[in-house]
């Protein structure tokens, strides 16, 4: 890697490494409670575990540094173990046949080659029901479901391109009118379209040009608001662009938001460090996003520098 890119590459590696170290120390907080299929709130239990699986899977298959891939691999294996080799998904699907979140979370494990016959038999039945094809109001979420169906090998319940055309990414709304909710939706439109950065070539040129033009302004706005998780997601989207630009100022501002233990709060300074439960809730997502965005940005730097190692790992992840 050339000298001009060695410093940002090293900086990004530290960002990813520090984030993974905090996440590893927080494993206990990702553990699922015994009542996860009955009384537990999935937004506080399954959602964090699913995000851990999704984003560490990208890192374990794509980061050019072996020690960081190994750290992410340990976290991904932990997430799989928490699902009891996917028996959890069979229970969830039987309890909520039309729920999408078991399919979305199982999809990343299926893509990794971790499959469960009972789960896939259930999915073949439930995703073939008429009720499964009822239009969802959240088109971004529908893209996520369609991507999960593709990963598992299920027939898509809707046309991906048609749904994409109804999203913020597809419609490319006036940039000054993009509010916080719309911005979160737009980042996930990109993630679902590109399979979380593995297939960046799927991003249409018009959308790529729109994002390249307006991402700097959006980033500055939400960095000023200290909304660190959204800033991290926008940096991840930036890294998905063709010939992805690297914004050292934005990355440094995100780095400056880190707490001494390496975690990144969702917004502002976050809760007091001695409040473990509140700290986990406020920091797990943004810390994961930082590791994810740092990995995508690192891959993009490697591609610019002709780093074949980074390109090989990205190619492996796309298979």
């Amino acid at each position: 890697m050339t000298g001009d890119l060695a410093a940002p590459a090293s900086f990004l590696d530290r960002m990813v490494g520090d984030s993974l170290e905090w996440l590893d120390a927080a494993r206990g907080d990702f553990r699922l409670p015994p009542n996860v299929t009955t009384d537990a709130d999935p937004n506080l239990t399954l959602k964090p575990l699913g995000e851990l699986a999704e984003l560490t899977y990208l890192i374990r298959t794509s980061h050019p540094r072996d020690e960081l891939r190994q750290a992410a691999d340990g976290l991904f294996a932990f997430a799989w173990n928490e699902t009891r080799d996917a028996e959890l998904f069979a229970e969830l699907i039987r309890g909520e046949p039309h729920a999408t979140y078991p399919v979305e979370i199982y999809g990343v494990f299926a893509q990794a080659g971790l499959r469960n016959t009972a789960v896939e038999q259930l999915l073949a039945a439930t995703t073939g029901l008429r009720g499964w094809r009822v239009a969802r109001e959240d088109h971004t979420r529908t893209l996520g479901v369609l991507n999960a169906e593709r990963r598992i090998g299920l027939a898509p319940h809707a046309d991906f391109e048609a749904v994409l055309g109804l999203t913020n990414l597809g419609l490319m709304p006036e940039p000054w009118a993009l509010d916080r909710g719309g911005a979160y939706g737009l980042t996930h439109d990109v993630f679902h379209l590109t399979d979380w950065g593995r297939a960046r070539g799927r991003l249409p040129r018009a959308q790529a040009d729109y994002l390249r033009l307006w991402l700097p302004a959006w980033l500055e706005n939400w960095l000023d608001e200290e909304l660190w998780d959204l800033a991290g997601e926008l940096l991840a989207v930036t890294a998905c662009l063709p010939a992805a630009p690297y914004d050292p100022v934005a990355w440094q501002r995100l780095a400056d938001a880190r707490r001494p233990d390496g975690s990144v709060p969702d917004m502002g300074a976050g809760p007091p460090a001695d409040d473990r439960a509140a700290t986990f809730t406020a920091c797990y997502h943004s810390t994961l996003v930082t590791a994810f965005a740092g990995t995508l940005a690192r891959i993009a730097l490697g591609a610019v520098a002709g780093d074949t190692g980074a390109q090989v790992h990205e190619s492996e992840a796309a298979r």
Side-chain angles (χ1 to χ4, degrees), residues 93-141:
I93 294 165
R94 291 189 187 103
E96 296 183 84
H98 290 159
T100 62
Y101 66 90
V103 182
E104 294 169 272
I105 301 173
Y106 177 70
V108 67
F109 295 116
Q111 188 175 40
L114 300 173
R115 292 178 175 267
N116 181 295
T117 301
V119 171
E120 303 215 1
Q121 288 175 342
L122 284 167
L123 289 179
T126 57
T127 61
L129 297 173
R130 290 190 298 275
W132 185 259
R133 299 194 298 273
V134 172
R136 300 178 178 89
E137 293 182 5
D138 187 340
H139 302 299
T140 294
R141 185 69 179 273

Side-chain angles (χ1 to χ4, degrees), residues 13-197:
D13 289 347
R14 290 195 302 274
M15 291 285 284
V16 174
D18 289 349
S19 297
L20 290 174
E21 185 174 345
W22 183 85
L23 291 163
D24 188 63
R27 281 194 191 198
D29 297 297
F30 282 101
R31 292 191 184 280
L32 298 178
N35 64 337
V36 67
T37 60
T38 53
D39 300 326
D41 182 351
N43 288 315
L44 300 177
T45 54
L46 290 164
K47 183 175 182 287
L49 190 75
E51 292 178 358
L52 181 70
E54 185 69 70
L55 301 186
T56 59
Y57 179 53
L58 182 282
I59 300 167
R60 76 188 277 268
T61 55
S62 304
H63 202 286
R65 293 281 294 272
D66 180 66
E67 70 273 21
L68 297 180
R69 293 198 306 275
Q70 288 185 20
D73 184 66
L75 288 165
F76 183 78
F78 162 81
W80 172 249
N81 186 64
E82 284 296 294
T83 73
R84 292 178 276 114
D85 295 344
E87 286 300 315
L88 169 66
F89 298 115
E91 296 172 12
L92 292 171
I93 294 165
R94 291 189 187 103
E96 296 183 84
H98 290 159
T100 62
Y101 66 90
V103 182
E104 294 169 272
I105 301 173
Y106 177 70
V108 67
F109 295 116
Q111 188 175 40
L114 300 173
R115 292 178 175 267
N116 181 295
T117 301
V119 171
E120 303 215 1
Q121 288 175 342
L122 284 167
L123 289 179
T126 57
T127 61
L129 297 173
R130 290 190 298 275
W132 185 259
R133 299 194 298 273
V134 172
R136 300 178 178 89
E137 293 182 5
D138 187 340
H139 302 299
T140 294
R141 185 69 179 273
T142 301
L143 291 184
V145 176
L146 290 167
N147 192 44
E149 290 171 340
R150 181 190 59 78
R151 288 171 156 184
I152 298 167
L154 298 166
H157 75 277
D159 180 75
F160 193 100
E161 295 299 324
V163 176
L164 177 64
L166 300 173
T167 65
N168 273 313
L169 179 64
L171 292 169
M172 295 185 291
E174 293 77 9
W176 47 265
L178 188 70
D179 61 11
R180 182 183 298 186
Y184 278 113
L186 185 144
T187 63
H188 283 70
D189 295 337
V190 173
F191 299 152
H192 299 320
L193 174 64
T194 65
D195 194 23
W196 297 86

Side-chain angles (χ1 to χ4, degrees), residues 209-223:
D209 290 345
Y210 170 80
L211 292 170
R212 184 182 296 276
L213 180 61
W214 294 110
L215 275 166
W218 294 334
L219 253 174
E220 183 176 1
N221 178 71
W222 280 298
L223 283 168

Side-chain angles (χ1 to χ4, degrees), residues 148-302:
E149 290 171 340
R150 181 190 59 78
R151 288 171 156 184
I152 298 167
L154 298 166
H157 75 277
D159 180 75
F160 193 100
E161 295 299 324
V163 176
L164 177 64
L166 300 173
T167 65
N168 273 313
L169 179 64
L171 292 169
M172 295 185 291
E174 293 77 9
W176 47 265
L178 188 70
D179 61 11
R180 182 183 298 186
Y184 278 113
L186 185 144
T187 63
H188 283 70
D189 295 337
V190 173
F191 299 152
H192 299 320
L193 174 64
T194 65
D195 194 23
W196 297 86
R198 294 178 183 83
R200 291 177 290 173
R202 293 178 184 167
L203 191 63
R205 181 171 179 174
Q207 275 70 24
D209 290 345
Y210 170 80
L211 292 170
R212 184 182 296 276
L213 180 61
W214 294 110
L215 275 166
W218 294 334
L219 253 174
E220 183 176 1
N221 178 71
W222 280 298
L223 283 168
D224 286 346
E225 289 193 15
E226 299 186 349
L227 199 60
W228 309 121
D229 65 335
L230 180 52
E233 291 189 12
L234 291 170
L235 285 168
V237 168
T238 301
C240 290
L241 297 175
Y246 176 72
D247 186 339
V249 174
W251 269 108
Q252 187 59 56
R253 291 180 70 178
L254 183 62
D256 291 344
R258 291 181 302 169
R259 291 147 68 104
D261 61 4
S263 63
V264 180
D266 284 349
M267 61 188 304
D274 58 358
D275 189 338
R276 175 175 170 173
T279 293
F280 176 75
T281 301
C283 294
Y284 86 85
H285 173 73
S286 42
T287 306
L288 268 170
V289 165
T290 298
F292 169 64
T295 298
L296 290 180
R298 182 66 164 82
I299 293 168
L301 281 180

